[in-house]
Structure formats: structure tokens, C-alpha cells
Amino acid sequence: MKPICPGNPLDRYSSRREFLHVGLLGGLGLTLPQFFSQKAQAAQKFYELREGVAQGIIHIFLPGGIAHQESFDPKPYAPAEYRGPFGAINTKIPGVQFGERLPELAQMADKMTIIRSMSHGEAAHERGTHNMFTGYRPSPALEYPSYGSVISHEMGSKNNLPPYVCVPSVPNEFAGSGYLSSAYGPFALGSDPANGNFQVRDLNLPNGCDEFRFSRRRSLLETVDSHFRALEKSDAIDAMDAFYQHAYKLISSEKAREAFNLKAEPDALKDEYGRNEAGQRMLLARRLIEAGTRFVSLTVGGWDHHDNIKGAFEGQMPSVDKAIATLIRDLDRRGMLDSTLVMVTTEFGRTPKINPTGGRDHWPSVFSVVMAGGGFKQGYVHGSSDALGGGVDTDGVTVEDLSTTIYNQIGITSDKELMAPGGRPIEIVDGGQVLDALLAKKA
């Protein structure tokens, strides 16, 4: 048989499993890791969801634990060893200040909800990160799914796009599908949008395999599927087929592929975001949400500043400050801010007192996160830390509360039970309540 595409391994492999893995993926040049995993065992589902305010979420995670004192909760009247190396600047919210290295975000504060009273009990990076990606404390007995995977499971894809995308790569082990099928895991780009030659892997057909041959290969796969389905009579085969359909739709849809095309954005807007990792990652995130992706997760920088917090902030914060502010402004200009939730989080805060090496150490007792759009109030500060930034003073917010509120805004009821391995029902969030104080009143 003449190969349909170059390097067709069908001549060499006879088992269905080998055909699927090597014949389809190898011949087409596809990997589509995690999102289209062969290990997925759950069939495509259709869900009845109540309408949410937010149609998409952009999760900007600042890994390492950004200091709240130098960012969203400065302490200008504290002693110098607590206050830190920077002053504070006024924001668009009367009487509210940010750290002086956040001038752009200070001018966008009237579009934000700033939560200054987040806390949890996990001082280790891995455990704190787990909390902020899943809404659960870590457990040795169960691997919990991330926000993006739950949203992918509950809402499915839109406009042939992956519902959950990580920019540029899966940031940590807790950003995956947990006890859910790996089919609900993230689609990772494999390349950074800040690269001048940025191109998403897997979205183009390899040289020598045109659309006609691609369609013929799909027909061949369906023929082989039917043969092995008759032999194996496995429900898992039907489940796998659904995910290959996703792959075909993404590759064959010009509109879906175009969502990843940063070249379509005007140079002036690229400059406004910043031609760097922070700016281009956030610009692509906006483009994906605009096209129909449900949840985009991205990370920027490293904020584990045990030493020289002054130099670290001066080096990293300008591009991040500019990029986040531009993202919020761009969404607002396009009329997308009300329907898009931007959330800026980190795994924990930093110690109230500067240490001997000019840094701050891990501190989960209180820290700050920021929400913009998606039905959250604009120009609102929720809760407070104490005078030295060492603990919650008023209106404490737990990870469960925040998770429940986030799911509420996209239309998911957080106490719904999903099935873990063995048929064990697990609530999407265990406890927590919708924080109505954070939400704008409906017109």
C-alpha cells in the first residue's frame, strides 16, 4: 500500500494501539500532549450549566510567592525593617496605595478587586501552589484537578479550541487534570510567544501532507477503528475516538488555528503590552479568550525573593506591571472585561520583616491576590492585613472561598460532585462560600 503521508508507519505496525500512537501521531507530526492523551478513558460529555457572568478566565500566576508589602499591600507607616526598600504610590482608588514599582497597575486599580486578606497554612512552595491551582490542600490519597481541568470537564470546548491552554507550558504538576481523565488536561504551546519565530507546535500539517491527504488519513483511521472495535469491543475505544475528533477539528479549523497567530496583532498593541515574556504571553491569552478558550493559565517571573528584594523587583516588576495593566485596559476597550475574569495570584506572601540578606521569607498567614472583570467589583479593596503585614486583620478569605467564588462566576456550582477513581464522589470544592462582597450587583 502506498503511504498516504510521508513516513506512514502503517506498513510496519499492525496492532491498533501502535497504529494510533505511531501511525496517526507520528505520521501527522502531532503530539498534542495531555490535551489529546491516549490515556483518556472518559467519553465526550454534554453538560447543562447555568449561565455564568464570566465566559473565560485568565489566570496569571506569579510563582515563588510575591511580597504583598512590595506590591498590593504596602506598609508605608511601618518601621523601616518592615516597610521594606520601596515607598508607596496612590492608586485610582481614593485612599488606597500600591508599592511604588507598580505605577501602571495603580492607574488601573479602579478596574480591580484587591483582596488583601488571603491566607492558608502552607509555607512550602509545592503545597501553596497546589492550593492556588486546585482549591484543595494537598492529599497523599488523591490528586486533585486544577481549575482549568475542572472547567474543561464541565464546559467542554468552544469554536474547536482547547478549553484549557497553558502559556507557554504547563507551569507545575498541579496544573493538570488530577483524578479526572487526562483528556481534560491543558494544551501547552511548546514555544514562548515572546520568541520572534513563535509558532505553536502541532497546529500545522507536516511537509508533504496536504488537506486532501489529511482527510484520507482520517478516513483510514476510522476504517481501522471499526475493525479493532469489532475485535476488542471496548468502551474505551469510543472514548479515545472523541479526543481524536478534537485533534482533527483543531488542526483543520483555520479559525481555531488563527487564535494562536500573534502576527495578526498590530505592532502598536504589541508595544503597548511589551515585547517581552510578560507582554506577549498576556496578549496571546487575550487572543485565545477572545476566540473561545475557556481558561488560560500563564506564569511570569520568579518571586521567591529571600535575598535582595529591591533589585529583584526593580528588574522584574516593570514589564509585569505594564503587561497586566495593558491586559485589563485592552479587555475593557474591547468590551470584554465584564465577561473575562483576570486573576493574579501567587502561592503565599512574604515575612513581615526584611531578613539580614535584604529579602523576605515564606509567609502563608496573609497575602494579596487581584481580580479584574468577570463580575467582580471595580475599585474595591477587600479585607486587610495588620499594621506590619503579618496576619489577617479583617475579612479573611480562604482558598475555598476564593475557589467557590471563581467557579460561581463562570457558572459552575462548586459543591457538585465529580467521580474520582473507584467511583468515589468528590466535591469540586470542599467547603467555601461565594463571597458576595466581592461581586458587582447585577443590573
Side-chain angles (χ1 to χ4, degrees):
M1 180 177 68
K2 183 179 180 180
I4 293 175
C5 290
N8 182 1
L10 188 57
D11 298 327
R12 306 190 308 273
Y13 294 91
S14 59
S15 79
R16 181 182 189 281
R17 178 172 297 176
E18 288 170 324
F19 175 83
L20 288 174
H21 183 69
V22 182
L24 176 63
L25 300 185
L28 291 180
L30 303 177
T31 57
L32 297 179
Q34 295 181 287
F35 182 64
F36 301 124
S37 172
Q38 288 185 45
K39 297 178 182 178
Q41 296 297 311
Q44 180 77 2
K45 298 180 181 179
F46 298 91
Y47 302 94
E48 293 183 2
L49 294 170
R50 58 187 176 80
E51 184 178 356
V53 176
Q55 301 302 305
I57 297 175
I58 299 172
H59 182 197
I60 301 166
F61 186 72
L62 305 179
I66 190 170
H68 50 290
Q69 303 92 332
E70 274 69 48
S71 56
F72 300 108
D73 190 12
K75 299 297 177 181
Y77 304 113
E81 64 269 29
Y82 293 88
R83 182 171 65 246
F86 299 118
I89 57 174
N90 293 329
T91 72
K92 278 286 190 74
I93 307 173
V96 174
Q97 295 185 315
F98 285 172
E100 67 174 289
R101 305 307 300 183
L102 280 69
E104 300 254 1
L105 282 168
Q107 293 304 304
M108 295 302 297
D110 59 337
K111 301 294 184 184
M112 305 174 186
T113 282
I114 302 101
I115 303 173
R116 287 177 164 173
S117 54
M118 280 294 304
S119 67
H120 58 65
E122 306 295 347
H125 287 294
E126 295 80 7
R127 296 180 69 84
T129 300
H130 185 284
N131 279 354
M132 301 308 293
F133 271 79
T134 69
Y136 269 88
R137 296 184 65 182
S139 167
L142 192 63
E143 186 177 351
Y144 293 99
S146 62
Y147 294 130
S149 290
V150 171
I151 290 169
S152 176
H153 180 273
E154 292 296 290
M155 305 186 75
S157 64
K158 180 181 178 182
N159 296 339
N160 294 325
L161 281 161
Y164 175 22
V165 177
C166 284
V167 178
S169 58
V170 182
N172 55 68
E173 61 187 301
F174 313 118
S177 55
Y179 60 74
L180 296 176
S181 162
S182 58
Y184 303 112
F187 174 67
L189 304 184
S191 178
D192 198 311
N195 295 337
N197 58 348
F198 169 68
Q199 184 176 9
V200 181
R201 65 187 179 195
D202 307 333
L203 296 190
N204 298 307
L205 295 175
N207 294 334
C209 192
D210 57 22
E211 296 286 349
F212 175 70
R213 290 184 173 184
F214 179 69
S215 298
R216 287 183 62 192
R217 187 168 190 81
R218 179 178 183 177
S219 297
L220 176 61
L221 174 65
E222 290 170 350
T223 300
V224 175
D225 278 349
S226 297
H227 170 71
F228 282 100
R229 184 180 291 109
L231 292 177
E232 298 181 20
K233 297 180 180 179
S234 171
D235 293 337
I237 295 176
D238 293 326
M240 272 187 202
D241 290 345
F243 304 114
Y244 284 113
Q245 295 298 323
H246 279 299
Y248 279 119
K249 288 178 181 178
L250 178 58
I251 298 161
S252 61
S253 170
E254 182 178 351
K255 184 177 180 181
R257 295 198 306 267
E258 183 64 17
F260 296 88
N261 181 20
L262 270 182
K263 294 179 181 178
E265 295 291 341
D267 288 341
L269 187 59
K270 292 178 183 177
D271 292 338
E272 186 179 352
Y273 273 89
R275 292 180 182 263
N276 47 55
E277 287 184 355
Q280 298 308 291
R281 289 176 186 183
M282 293 185 204
L283 176 55
L284 181 61
R286 187 229 78 206
R287 191 170 178 85
L288 289 168
I289 292 292
E290 190 173 30
T293 295
R294 309 282 192 180
F295 191 95
V296 178
S297 178
L298 64 92
T299 60
V300 182
W303 305 88
D304 191 22
H305 299 148
H306 293 277
D307 309 294
N308 188 22
I309 199 168
K310 182 178 187 296
F313 258 74
E314 288 173 341
Q316 292 189 84
M317 184 50 77
S319 64
V320 175
D321 174 50
K322 179 179 181 179
I324 299 175
T326 302
L327 173 62
I328 296 170
R329 183 166 53 247
D330 191 17
L331 289 168
D332 194 37
R333 282 193 305 238
R334 293 169 184 270
M336 293 174 60
L337 188 58
D338 288 344
S339 61
T340 305
L341 173 58
V342 177
M343 47 190 259
V344 183
T345 75
T346 191
E347 60 256 50
F348 41 55
R350 312 300 293 190
T351 49
K353 190 174 183 178
I354 295 287
N355 66 28
T357 58
R360 298 184 191 267
D361 302 314
H362 302 179
W363 196 256
S365 297
V366 68
F367 59 104
S368 299
V369 299
V370 168
M371 305 286 148
F376 279 75
K377 286 180 178 177
Q378 297 189 355
Y380 173 65
V381 176
H382 183 84
S384 62
S385 62
D386 62 31
L388 299 179
V392 173
D393 190 28
T394 62
D395 297 322
V397 175
T398 68
V399 171
E400 293 80 11
D401 291 335
L402 183 65
S403 303
T404 296
T405 306
I406 290 166
Y407 282 127
N408 177 77
Q409 292 308 98
I410 204 167
I412 295 173
T413 302
S414 64
D415 61 359
K416 177 181 177 180
E417 293 180 338
L418 306 180
M419 289 300 165
R424 176 185 173 192
I426 304 291
E427 291 184 346
I428 292 174
V429 181
D430 184 11
Q433 60 183 335
V434 175
L435 298 174
D436 291 326
L438 305 181
L439 306 179
K441 292 182 179 179
K442 296 181 180 179

